[in-house]
């Protein structure tokens, strides 16, 4: 097992029929969730904003294929019916079921199919590697790979699955993550540490520069293994979230490589994150990475428009593949160009051929840091999104 | 003549050698300019911020091929040398010369070539159609067409040329516009009306969601035809700016069609503009337009993340080609989908085959309106930017 079934008290199942899938995950415990900030949000998000006030769940049900957005009263009723169907098979009340959806916006749910898939999944719940895999696969849309993460610490485990094709924009706009731990964490604290972890992970993946209509991250703590050291728990949760976030970036629609942007020397962490997100989301940076072109002018120009004060004459830009590193610009001095430092350009380009390209941007304007993740922009992204049927 | 040479008192010339071009425009008068807000800005922008305080120009010199950014003291000196060379051929002082650059970032200027091109252009200054065309062509980078606009009103003319490949991001990041009028307008007033016109035109073209390192718009008023009606002048200036802005959008890198997004029913014009810019800049909307897919869910989802409060149940989305119009969603009701209203989807798709696709988004949250322009996102954009040499 590699993810959620490592957590004591978790059983999972997933079924799929064409583009329609349902994942069902059973786990009783305190629970927290973070939702999209989009003004236009899914009906299941509306329902969950009401119900998560309870701070406890017995299970989560997720459907792929229809986002249940802009579907009004009927859509809200459909989200309730998903909760009811899941509650029936899990032997609990609908108020203790988490509901999430992903898929096309502006279509009514094929609710009969979804409830029958929920019943089917109910008969398959188990705690084994094929179960977590089935669940992770059931919620994929244009994802090419399933996404799992787990961190095992002294006395507890934190693990999760996620979906999201996290290119410039995820196709159908949705990033979902379901995280579990067997540590015992009261709901208000769980909510607080989850929010911090999400800010430093999923919110640093550039998925259209913003949350979609359906984005949500749930975290359930089954409590089976008692109270953890809270610093250690926060660290483990963040590690799981970052791992899942990076997997989303790497599986970006049409992507050939992951881009990581590490910003240091910012006035605040929020400022550093703004710059990192702006650089990693820049179409010009994304296409340059696709073309293995160490065009650091695009990096510094994107940093400059992030809305953060800094002096370009104090800024430094480098590229690394994690092993070797080439300085491109250093405190206002050009270190790589085709006239005076052509060998540095060639060196830099040679670092851009792998699965991961890392830009380091030191602003020289403070001591805060942040990292963001994205992927390159390729012809395939256009093809996927230009031809995806409504 | 179709643009700046229609304005009394304007002479122009342009020379080009491979990717290096210089435009020289002679026109004495009051002058105003609007510059990039990017923290990283070009050395000519630094110089002009100082010199435009004078409120008067005798001419403008522009080079293409090198953006003169991140070039420090040497770059600032090169911008000064451009002004000196232009002043010499125009018989004035360098302080009355506007300077602008576009091209690659982070390379020192080929200043000998540029100054010799300025001298050459100085011998070619004239007021005729080939002159304005030469100037407009000299400053093109990945632009496929030159861009001119003119509005002739009772008693005065306003006209301009521009460059910019205004896709998601303009290649090399730069939009430049040079506008002239023979109306007599004091510099402080010219600055004010220019700012308003720029906000409603160039700032509504989604060029990377922000101004680049080199963006600038200059407006010179030769005053040859006396004081205009100021309302009429403001209107004419805005019309010229909007025409040039739309030409930038339509010539977007790899673009096959212009996208116009008209937002109404917003709390403020600024809110309406935010929504319009977010929708027109959404990669999912851009790819949908490329695929002729009336995927209005992407439109409403982009509107929802623009940071403007509105109730989706009061929002309306329609698509039009300027002649026919199809309602896609009306105050929370789905009007086009593949199950209940498939004929509306087919109708809508049939409107998306032309050179221009217009989305109308009524938010139902106020009475302010704004329009933004962009273009579709195609494989060619990726190719141009992935393979453009640093």
């Amino acid at each position: 097992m590699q993810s959620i079934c490592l957590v004591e008290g978790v059983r999972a199942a997933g079924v799929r029929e064409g583009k329609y899938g349902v994942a069902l995950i059973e786990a009783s415990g305190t629970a927290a969730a973070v939702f999209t900030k989009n003004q236009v949000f899914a009906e299941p998000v509306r329902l969950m904003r009401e119900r998560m006030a309870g701070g406890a769940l017995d299970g989560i049900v997720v459907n792929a294929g229809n986002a249940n957005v802009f579907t009004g009263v009927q859509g809200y009723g459909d989200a309730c019916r998903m909760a009811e169907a899941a509650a029936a098979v899990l032997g609990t009340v609908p108020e203790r079921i988490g509901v999430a959806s992903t898929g096309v916006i502006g279509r009514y749910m094929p609710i009969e199919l979804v409830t029958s898939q929920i019943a089917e999944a109910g008969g398959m719940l188990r705690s084994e590697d094929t179960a977590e895999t089935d669940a992770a696969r059931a919620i994929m849309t244009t994802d090419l790979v399933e996404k799992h993460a787990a961190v095992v610490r002294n006395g507890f485990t934190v693990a999760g699955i996620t979906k999201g094709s996290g290119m410039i924009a995820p196709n159908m706009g949705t990033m979902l993550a379901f995280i579990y731990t067997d540590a015992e964490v009261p709901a208000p604290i769980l909510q607080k540490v989850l929010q911090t972890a999400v800010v430093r992970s999923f919110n640093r993946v550039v998925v259209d520069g913003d949350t979609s209509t359906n984005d949500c991250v749930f975290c359930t703590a089954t409590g089976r293994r008692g109270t953890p050291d809270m610093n250690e728990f926060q660290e483990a949760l963040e590690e799981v979230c970052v791992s899942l976030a990076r997997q989303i970036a790497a599986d970006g629609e049409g992507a050939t490589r992951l881009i990581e942007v590490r910003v240091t020397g910012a006035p605040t962490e929020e400022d550093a994150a703004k710059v990192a997100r702006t650089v990693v989301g820049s179409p010009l940076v994304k296409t340059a990475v696709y073309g293995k072109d160490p065009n650091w002018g695009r990096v510094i120009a994107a940093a400059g428009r992030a809305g953060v004060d800094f002096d370009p004459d104090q800024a430094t830009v480098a590229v690394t593949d994690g092993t070797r590193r080439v300085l491109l610009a250093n405190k206002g001095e050009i270190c790589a160009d085709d006239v005076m430092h052509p060998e540095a350009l060639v060196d830099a380009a040679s670092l851009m051929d792998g699965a991961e390209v890392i830009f380091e941007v030191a602003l020289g304007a403070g001591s805060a840091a942040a990292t963001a993740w994205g992927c390159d922009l390729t012809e395939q992204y256009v093809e996927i999104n230009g031809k995806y049927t409504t």
Side-chain angles (χ1 to χ4, degrees), chain A:
Chain A
M1 290 180 293
Q2 56 179 327
S3 68
I4 57 177
C5 287
L6 286 169
V7 175
E8 284 188 38
V10 173
R11 295 198 304 160
V15 296
R16 183 137 198 146
E17 199 178 317
K19 71 171 183 170
Y20 295 104
V22 160
L24 184 66
I25 310 170
E26 181 182 46
S28 291
T30 57
V34 176
F35 300 104
T36 177
K37 291 187 182 71
N38 198 308
Q39 291 280 322
V40 178
F41 54 83
E43 294 304 323
V45 170
R46 186 189 309 275
L47 182 67
M48 285 303 103
R49 285 200 172 120
E50 298 159 10
R51 292 193 174 167
M52 287 305 292
L57 289 177
D58 288 326
I60 291 176
V61 62
V62 194
N63 77 288
N66 186 309
N68 200 2
V69 178
F70 216 84
T71 44
V73 174
Q74 181 175 330
Y76 183 85
D78 288 340
C80 290
R81 287 188 63 188
M82 285 177 64
E84 284 157 19
V89 298
L90 297 182
T92 182
V93 292
E95 288 72 22
R96 288 177 63 105
I97 299 294
V99 181
S101 298
T102 178
V104 68
I105 294 173
R107 305 284 184 275
Y108 295 111
M109 289 279 281
I111 190 66
E112 302 306 331
L113 172 63
V114 172
T115 51
S116 82
Q117 287 184 316
I118 294 170
E120 187 186 346
M124 299 163 62
L125 284 167
R126 62 215 189 274
S127 178
E128 56 187 52
D129 53 1
T130 58
E132 62 195 22
T133 297
D134 284 354
R137 282 191 189 152
I139 58 173
M140 285 164 61
T141 53
T142 53
D143 302 59
L144 297 179
V145 295
E146 342 143 12
K147 301 172 184 74
H148 301 271
V151 169
V152 180
R153 285 285 160 91
N154 189 24
F156 68 92
T157 294
V158 182
I161 58 173
T162 193
K163 68 84 48 180
S165 35
M167 183 52 175
I168 292 184
N171 198 320
M172 313 317 312
T174 298
M175 187 282 301
L176 305 175
F178 306 98
I179 299 164
Y180 292 87
T181 180
D182 39 25
E184 185 171 3
V185 187
I189 296 176
L190 194 61
Q191 183 69 35
K192 194 163 158 284
V193 295
L194 180 64
Q195 274 167 345
T196 303
V198 166
V199 163
R200 291 181 174 161
S201 56
F202 298 109
N203 285 4
R204 301 265 173 88
V205 176
V206 176
V207 280
D208 208 4
D210 213 318
T211 49
S212 89
T213 54
N214 289 56
D215 287 350
C216 57
V217 180
F218 285 90
C219 182
T220 305
T222 64
R224 298 285 180 97
R225 299 180 68 192
T227 305
D229 174 274
M230 276 311 297
N231 285 334
E232 206 174 4
F233 178 72
Q234 171 80 57
E235 270 177 34
L237 182 63
E238 202 169 307
E239 196 175 323
V240 166
C241 287
V242 166
S243 168
L244 294 174
R246 287 173 57 102
Q247 291 177 58
I248 288 175
D251 193 22
E253 290 167 353
T256 67
R257 50 184 65 94
L258 179 79
I259 307 175
E260 179 169 303
V261 177
R262 300 174 182 167
V263 173
T264 56
T268 67
E269 183 180 330
E270 176 60 26
D271 286 335
K274 261 194 212 169
V275 172
R277 285 171 52 111
T278 305
V279 173
V280 88
S282 157
L284 286 176
V285 171
K286 293 163 83 81
T287 48
V289 169
Y290 173 52
K292 299 172 203 167
D293 176 2
N295 194 335
W296 58 269
R298 296 182 180 181
V299 173
I300 196 82
R305 69 174 168 82
V308 173
D309 263 339
F310 70 93
D311 177 359
D313 285 349
Q314 294 305 314
T316 293
V317 181
V319 64
T320 164
D321 59 3
T323 312
R324 289 190 306 132
R325 179 177 183 275
V326 174
L327 197 60
L328 300 170
N330 186 26
K331 300 195 176 180
E333 293 242 340
I334 295 169
C335 305
D337 71 293
D338 46 6
V339 179
M340 303 179 61
H341 314 86
E343 73 297 335
L345 271 194
V346 172
D347 258 18
S350 75
L351 299 182
M352 297 177 72
D353 206 17
E356 193 169 335
V357 170
I358 304 162
F359 288 108
E360 298 175 352
V361 181
L363 300 177
S367 58
T371 299
W373 300 274
C375 59
D376 57 346
L377 173 58
T378 71
E379 292 92 347
Q380 281 65 48
Y381 172 79
V382 176
E383 201 174 310
I384 291 166
N385 285 294
K387 281 153 198 174
Y388 195 96
T389 310
T390 50

